[in-house]
Amino acid sequence: MDVYSPQGLGRMDYCNDVQGFINFATSIPRNFTDGGIRCPCRKCKNLKFLHQDVVTMHLLTKGFMHDYLCWYAHGELFVPNESMVERVVESTSSASNIHEVGNENSNPCRNIVMDAMRMSEGNVSEFPNVEEEPNEDAVRFFDLLKDSDEPLWDGCTNHSKLSIVAHVFTIKSNHGLSEAGYDKIIEWARSILPKGNRMKENFYTAKSMMKPLGLGYQKIDMCPNFCMLYYLENDELTECMTCGYSRYKPRTGRGKTLVAYKKLRYFSITPRL
């Protein structure tokens, strides 16, 4: 039986545990969006922002979502080998103590995820009526948030599931490592790590994992001699207006897609600001 549901503990103990969670969650300003906090009940699963009184009622009647033992969506850092029941806060003061531990900035990957999510730190209204419909972006972001706190293997204290990918990506970028070289290193690393480690098995899966952190970019064909961009009114041209160089590489087979000699990756400044 789930020990973190209304049926898993004594009713009074469970009520105290729920109040401890609410004390902790509401002690961190960034948990609020338009006055609501994420509801971790079995139905909402952290995908809806609700008033804290509504969240309390949901938790009392429905219980916490499965495996939500670390409150990663509400500012708590992962603490290995510690049960949820032992970690439950029972008062506002104890909630503040956990809040201090969770804000030591000891997890830079988690901070990056939180920045990418643009968590609001605005004012809390008296009685908001806020509900946010679940969406795929929210699910991906919170999966990534969980990965930032989940250890690389049970008992690991140096790296999380996310931090190891970021670290190896940095090495690949700094040293011009090919994708095939990246995969070989990962294959070797996984062979010497403890069984059940959570390292992504290749470059493709690691890249898919990191994708929600990016802001995206636009690819624009350009002259290989840097004369012009094939953009806006020049988008349909097939040769450079200045040097006459072809826009596309020669086709090597029938029905092959046209491939430009060179592409510019445009990172728009507006969303980054």
Side-chain angles (χ1 to χ4, degrees), residues 233-269:
E233 66 273 10
N234 299 324
D235 183 54
E236 302 297 326
L237 297 180
T238 58
E239 292 183 352
C240 177
M241 294 188 299
T242 302
C243 67
Y245 204 95
S246 175
R247 174 179 180 176
Y248 299 109
K249 297 178 182 179
R251 294 189 180 187
T252 57
R254 191 175 177 183
K256 293 289 185 179
T257 303
L258 290 172
V259 178
Y261 274 105
K262 189 174 289 291
K263 289 181 178 291
L264 168 76
R265 287 170 172 80
Y266 170 63
F267 296 85
S268 177
I269 188 64

Side-chain angles (χ1 to χ4, degrees), residues 53 61-62 68 92-93 99 102 138 150 153 175 183 190 193 221-222 224 227 231 241-242 246 248 255 263:
D53 292 343
T61 57
K62 308 176 190 299
Y68 195 51
T92 304
S93 60
H99 170 52
E150 189 174 8
W153 67 85
H175 299 280
D183 289 347
R190 284 169 56 87
L193 289 176
D221 293 349
M222 64 181 298
C227 300
Y231 187 59
M241 294 188 299
T242 302
S246 175
Y248 299 109
K263 289 181 178 291

Side-chain angles (χ1 to χ4, degrees), residues 14 18-19 21-23 25-26 31-32 35-42 44-46 48-64 68 74 127-128 130-131:
Y14 182 74
V18 169
Q19 187 57 53
F21 167 78
I22 296 297
N23 290 341
T26 56
N31 283 339
F32 290 93
I37 62 173
R38 292 188 181 271
C39 179
C41 77
R42 292 176 184 271
C44 297
K45 297 181 179 180
N46 280 329
K48 291 184 178 181
F49 288 96
L50 304 173
H51 187 268
Q52 64 192 62
D53 292 343
V54 180
V55 174
T56 301
M57 184 59 64
H58 279 204
L59 294 177
L60 289 175
T61 57
K62 308 176 190 299
F64 282 81
Y68 195 51
H74 296 86
F127 252 99
V130 182
E131 283 204 18

Side-chain angles (χ1 to χ4, degrees), residues 117-135:
M117 291 173 64
R118 300 184 182 92
M119 294 292 285
S120 172
E121 297 186 10
N123 297 326
V124 182
S125 59
E126 285 294 324
F127 252 99
N129 182 16
V130 182
E131 283 204 18
E132 183 176 283
E133 290 299 321
N135 60 78

Side-chain angles (χ1 to χ4, degrees), residues 24 28 30-31 71-77 98-99 102-103 110:
F24 173 73
I28 304 177
R30 71 182 182 190
N31 283 339
W71 300 329
Y72 55 84
H74 296 86
E76 184 180 26
L77 297 178
I98 294 182
H99 170 52
N103 284 274
R110 191 178 203 286

